[in-house]
Amino acid sequence: MRRPHKSLMLQAGLGLSMGLLTGLLTGLLTLVSMASAAPPGSAREMERIGVETERVSAAVGPKVVQISTQSLKVAGTGDEQPAGVLVAEHGRGSGFFVAADGYLMTNAHVVANATRIRVLVPAPSAPAPPAPSREYAAAVVGIDADNDLALLKVDVQGVPFFDLSRDAAPAQVKKWYALD
């Protein structure tokens, strides 16, 4: 298995931070601005906002995964168990695919000290009834603790993914809105 260089993780993380989040925030701010610009009784405008929200969700949803972890820790004072007892912990987080061959990114704190990592991959869209999600074991490929990023690998092919060279390209925003 190839091991991506730490700079790839940093580049991907910066691409995520600067582009993908900017794009998502821009989309959300656009939806908020459309809602605030609509007259109170504008059902047509609210319908358009609903359609746009569904469009964004349909485009992003298949690329996002749920992550569950198991880890062990020694209980300390203040824990429910007596101090010194080995305790199993469970955690949850989310991530997203960055390559069709099963590489995905999440936050480093989600997988820190995990002894077992499972990834729940949404089933491809299909006519009713919807197919159940698939669960895969994941391996940590690399962690960049300074930027709270982790690169994981699951044994799956052909998954929808965020192409960080394209999807995360910074978008020029023409209007900024402050939310109270």
Side-chain angles (χ1 to χ4, degrees):
M1 170 173 43
R2 63 187 166 124
R3 291 217 178 264
H5 192 270
K6 184 175 181 176
S7 67
L8 172 64
M9 286 182 56
L10 182 57
Q11 178 184 0
L14 291 175
L16 166 69
S17 299
M18 298 302 290
L20 185 60
L21 290 179
T22 299
L24 291 174
L25 287 174
T26 301
L28 290 173
L29 287 173
T30 301
L31 292 174
V32 168
S33 70
M34 290 186 315
S36 64
S42 176
R44 183 183 317 228
E45 188 63 20
M46 294 309 288
E47 175 67 24
R48 187 169 74 80
I49 292 169
V51 168
E52 282 300 306
T53 302
E54 288 176 19
R55 183 188 63 76
V56 169
S57 178
V60 171
K63 301 171 185 179
V64 177
V65 299
Q66 294 179 30
I67 300 169
S68 63
T69 61
Q70 286 182 322
S71 60
L72 297 173
K73 79 166 195 169
V74 177
T77 56
D79 285 335
E80 292 181 15
Q81 301 294 326
V85 172
L86 195 59
V87 179
E89 290 189 313
H90 300 275
R92 291 205 172 271
S94 62
F96 57 92
F97 285 108
V98 294
D101 58 351
Y103 284 93
L104 64 112
M105 292 197 68
T106 188
N107 293 107
H109 71 266
V110 171
V111 297
N113 303 316
T115 56
R116 181 178 178 208
I117 304 168
R118 306 293 293 175
V119 175
L120 191 63
V121 178
S125 298
S133 297
R134 301 272 322 252
E135 189 173 305
Y136 298 91
V140 175
V141 175
I143 289 183
D144 180 354
D146 293 339
N147 293 295
D148 194 27
L149 295 172
L151 185 65
L152 308 180
K153 175 72 168 97
V154 296
D155 189 20
V156 64
Q157 297 292 320
V159 292
F161 66 97
F162 285 105
D163 181 349
L164 295 179
S165 66
R166 185 187 54 129
D167 294 339
Q172 183 175 355
V173 179
K174 295 179 183 170
K175 294 182 182 178
W176 286 96
Y177 296 93
L179 304 176
D180 289 319

